[in-house]
Amino acid sequence: FAVLVKGLRQPLPSHHHVELEVNLVLRGHATYLFGQRRVPLAVNSMIWLFPEQEHVLVDWSHDFSMWVLVFRPGLVRRHAQTGARRVLRASDPGEIFCRQIDARRIEHLHQVYQDAAQGEGIDARNAALGYAMVASWQAYQFSSEPPPRIDFDAAVAKAARLISEADDALKLD
Protein backbone atom coordinates (compact mmCIF):
# COMPACT_ATOMS: atom_id res chain seq x y z
CA PHE A 1 0.00 0.00 0.00
CA ALA A 2 0.94 3.65 -0.33
CA VAL A 3 -0.28 6.38 2.01
CA LEU A 4 0.59 10.01 2.61
CA VAL A 5 0.97 10.48 6.38
CA LYS A 6 0.31 13.97 7.79
CA GLY A 7 -0.24 15.41 11.23
CA LEU A 8 0.97 12.64 13.51
CA ARG A 9 -0.55 13.14 16.93
CA GLN A 10 0.18 10.06 19.02
CA PRO A 11 3.47 8.31 19.64
CA LEU A 12 3.93 5.15 17.62
CA PRO A 13 5.22 1.98 19.30
CA SER A 14 8.56 0.42 18.43
CA HIS A 15 7.89 -2.30 15.87
CA HIS A 16 8.98 -4.31 12.87
CA HIS A 17 6.93 -6.01 10.15
CA VAL A 18 7.18 -8.73 7.52
CA GLU A 19 7.08 -6.24 4.63
CA LEU A 20 9.71 -3.94 3.18
CA GLU A 21 8.84 -0.28 3.72
CA VAL A 22 10.14 2.98 2.28
CA ASN A 23 9.42 6.45 3.67
CA LEU A 24 9.97 9.74 1.85
CA VAL A 25 9.78 12.94 3.91
CA LEU A 26 7.96 15.82 2.24
CA ARG A 27 7.78 18.38 5.06
CA GLY A 28 9.15 18.90 8.55
CA HIS A 29 11.54 16.66 10.40
CA ALA A 30 11.51 13.57 12.64
CA THR A 31 13.84 10.91 13.98
CA TYR A 32 13.88 7.12 13.67
CA LEU A 33 15.40 5.07 16.46
CA PHE A 34 16.97 1.71 15.59
CA GLY A 35 18.19 0.21 18.85
CA GLN A 36 20.94 2.62 19.92
CA ARG A 37 21.09 4.39 16.58
CA ARG A 38 19.32 7.68 15.97
CA VAL A 39 18.61 8.61 12.34
CA PRO A 40 17.40 12.18 11.76
CA LEU A 41 14.97 12.74 8.89
CA ALA A 42 14.53 16.03 7.05
CA VAL A 43 12.77 17.16 3.89
CA ASN A 44 13.68 14.81 1.01
CA SER A 45 15.02 12.06 3.29
CA MET A 46 14.31 8.55 2.06
CA ILE A 47 14.64 5.65 4.48
CA TRP A 48 14.20 1.94 3.81
CA LEU A 49 12.86 -0.16 6.68
CA PHE A 50 13.57 -3.86 6.36
CA PRO A 51 11.40 -6.59 7.92
CA GLU A 52 13.59 -7.46 10.92
CA GLN A 53 14.71 -3.91 11.72
CA GLU A 54 13.03 -2.83 14.95
CA HIS A 55 12.30 0.90 14.66
CA VAL A 56 10.27 3.72 16.15
CA LEU A 57 9.50 7.20 14.82
CA VAL A 58 9.95 9.98 17.41
CA ASP A 59 10.38 13.74 17.69
CA TRP A 60 8.38 14.75 14.63
CA SER A 61 7.67 18.40 13.94
CA HIS A 62 4.11 19.76 13.83
CA ASP A 63 4.28 20.04 10.03
CA PHE A 64 5.81 16.59 9.44
CA SER A 65 4.49 14.65 6.45
CA MET A 66 5.86 11.67 4.55
CA TRP A 67 4.94 9.01 2.08
CA VAL A 68 4.85 5.49 3.48
CA LEU A 69 4.96 2.64 0.96
CA VAL A 70 4.80 -0.98 2.06
CA PHE A 71 5.80 -3.82 -0.27
CA ARG A 72 4.72 -7.41 0.37
CA PRO A 73 7.41 -10.10 0.12
CA GLY A 74 6.06 -11.50 -3.19
CA LEU A 75 6.20 -8.10 -4.86
CA VAL A 76 9.75 -7.57 -3.58
CA ARG A 77 10.85 -10.99 -4.89
CA ARG A 78 9.40 -10.21 -8.34
CA HIS A 79 11.01 -6.79 -8.67
CA ALA A 80 14.32 -7.32 -6.84
CA GLN A 81 15.75 -10.38 -8.55
CA THR A 82 19.03 -9.01 -9.91
CA GLY A 83 21.71 -6.41 -9.44
CA ALA A 84 21.71 -3.76 -6.75
CA ARG A 85 17.98 -4.23 -6.00
CA ARG A 86 18.67 -7.73 -4.69
CA VAL A 87 19.48 -6.22 -1.26
CA LEU A 88 15.79 -5.28 -0.95
CA ARG A 89 15.06 -8.98 -0.41
CA ALA A 90 17.05 -9.02 2.85
CA SER A 91 15.28 -9.28 6.19
CA ASP A 92 17.96 -7.08 7.73
CA PRO A 93 20.89 -5.99 5.58
CA GLY A 94 22.91 -5.02 8.66
CA GLU A 95 22.86 -1.30 8.01
CA ILE A 96 20.41 1.56 7.80
CA PHE A 97 19.55 2.80 4.31
CA CYS A 98 18.79 6.52 4.59
CA ARG A 99 19.79 9.26 2.16
CA GLN A 100 18.76 12.69 0.96
CA ILE A 101 17.05 12.40 -2.43
CA ASP A 102 17.78 14.94 -5.12
CA ALA A 103 14.94 17.48 -5.32
CA ARG A 104 14.56 16.89 -9.07
CA ARG A 105 13.55 13.27 -8.42
CA ILE A 106 11.08 14.10 -5.65
CA GLU A 107 8.34 15.42 -7.94
CA HIS A 108 8.50 12.29 -10.09
CA LEU A 109 8.35 10.03 -7.01
CA HIS A 110 5.45 12.03 -5.60
CA GLN A 111 3.45 11.35 -8.78
CA VAL A 112 4.44 7.67 -8.80
CA TYR A 113 3.36 7.34 -5.16
CA GLN A 114 0.03 9.05 -5.85
CA ASP A 115 -0.59 6.56 -8.65
CA ALA A 116 0.23 3.69 -6.29
CA ALA A 117 -2.14 5.08 -3.65
CA GLN A 118 -5.03 5.82 -6.00
CA GLY A 119 -4.76 3.18 -8.72
CA GLU A 120 -8.07 1.74 -9.83
CA GLY A 121 -8.22 -1.96 -9.15
CA ILE A 122 -5.81 -4.33 -7.46
CA ASP A 123 -3.82 -5.04 -10.64
CA ALA A 124 -3.20 -1.33 -11.29
CA ARG A 125 -2.17 -0.72 -7.66
CA ASN A 126 0.19 -3.71 -7.65
CA ALA A 127 1.80 -2.62 -10.92
CA ALA A 128 2.16 0.93 -9.58
CA LEU A 129 3.65 -0.35 -6.31
CA GLY A 130 6.18 -2.46 -8.22
CA TYR A 131 7.21 0.55 -10.26
CA ALA A 132 7.25 2.73 -7.12
CA MET A 133 9.68 0.32 -5.45
CA VAL A 134 11.99 0.24 -8.48
CA ALA A 135 11.85 4.04 -8.98
CA SER A 136 12.47 4.63 -5.26
CA TRP A 137 15.49 2.35 -5.21
CA GLN A 138 16.87 4.03 -8.32
CA ALA A 139 16.41 7.48 -6.73
CA TYR A 140 18.12 6.16 -3.59
CA GLN A 141 21.05 4.76 -5.59
CA PHE A 142 21.63 8.09 -7.37
CA SER A 143 21.20 10.23 -4.27
CA SER A 144 23.61 12.20 -2.14
CA GLU A 145 25.30 11.20 1.07
CA PRO A 146 23.22 9.99 4.00
CA PRO A 147 22.26 12.35 6.82
CA PRO A 148 24.47 12.02 9.91
CA ARG A 149 23.69 9.16 12.28
CA ILE A 150 24.03 9.55 15.98
CA ASP A 151 24.61 6.57 18.26
CA PHE A 152 23.74 6.96 21.93
CA ASP A 153 23.62 5.05 25.18
CA ALA A 154 21.19 2.11 25.50
CA ALA A 155 19.50 3.76 28.51
CA VAL A 156 18.68 6.84 26.42
CA ALA A 157 17.27 4.63 23.64
CA LYS A 158 15.11 2.74 26.16
CA ALA A 159 13.84 5.98 27.73
CA ALA A 160 12.94 7.39 24.30
CA ARG A 161 11.01 4.22 23.44
CA LEU A 162 9.13 4.27 26.78
CA ILE A 163 8.18 7.91 26.28
CA SER A 164 7.05 7.29 22.69
CA GLU A 165 4.93 4.27 23.71
CA ALA A 166 3.30 5.79 26.80
CA ASP A 167 -0.47 6.32 26.62
CA ASP A 168 -0.39 9.17 29.16
CA ALA A 169 2.23 11.68 30.21
CA LEU A 170 4.91 9.98 32.28
CA LYS A 171 5.80 11.18 35.76
CA LEU A 172 9.39 12.09 36.39
CA ASP A 173 9.77 9.54 39.18
Side-chain angles (χ1 to χ4, degrees):
F1 70 86
V3 64
L4 182 58
V5 175
K6 295 180 183 180
L8 293 172
R9 301 198 194 297
Q10 297 180 3
L12 305 171
S14 181
H15 66 284
H16 62 61
H17 26 76
V18 298
E19 301 91 359
L20 175 67
E21 180 178 325
V22 66
N23 299 167
L24 178 63
V25 177
L26 301 176
R27 293 186 64 197
H29 64 273
T31 301
Y32 262 119
L33 300 180
F34 293 84
Q36 295 181 33
R37 285 188 166 170
R38 180 179 180 271
V39 180
L41 302 176
V43 173
N44 298 350
S45 291
M46 177 182 282
I47 188 163
W48 292 84
L49 306 168
F50 289 80
E52 292 182 14
Q53 289 180 322
E54 186 81 20
H55 57 277
V56 61
L57 185 68
V58 298
D59 297 334
W60 56 83
S61 61
H62 73 285
D63 61 341
F64 183 71
S65 67
M66 70 176 172
W67 276 105
V68 175
L69 281 79
V70 177
F71 311 106
R72 292 187 183 208
L75 184 137
V76 174
R77 281 191 302 275
R78 281 192 304 278
H79 295 283
Q81 294 183 13
T82 60
R85 285 196 310 260
R86 204 164 163 75
V87 72
L88 298 176
R89 298 175 80 165
S91 295
D92 183 351
E95 62 182 285
I96 297 169
F97 287 67
C98 184
R99 290 187 182 165
Q100 292 302 110
I101 303 302
D102 186 277
R104 294 173 295 181
R105 294 184 184 267
I106 296 295
E107 188 156 334
H108 172 70
L109 289 175
H110 186 66
Q111 184 60 54
V112 169
Y113 294 174
Q114 283 181 325
D115 292 344
Q118 300 170 353
E120 293 191 24
I122 191 74
D123 291 337
R125 282 194 300 277
N126 282 336
L129 278 171
Y131 179 68
M133 186 184 82
V134 171
S136 297
W137 185 249
Q138 185 176 24
Y140 180 85
Q141 291 293 295
F142 292 107
S143 63
S144 64
E145 290 299 311
R149 282 190 208 134
I150 302 168
D151 296 340
F152 51 95
D153 188 83
V156 174
K158 183 176 180 180
R161 271 193 215 85
L162 288 172
I163 291 167
S164 74
E165 295 173 0
D167 292 331
D168 298 320
L170 296 175
K171 296 180 182 177
L172 187 56
D173 58 339

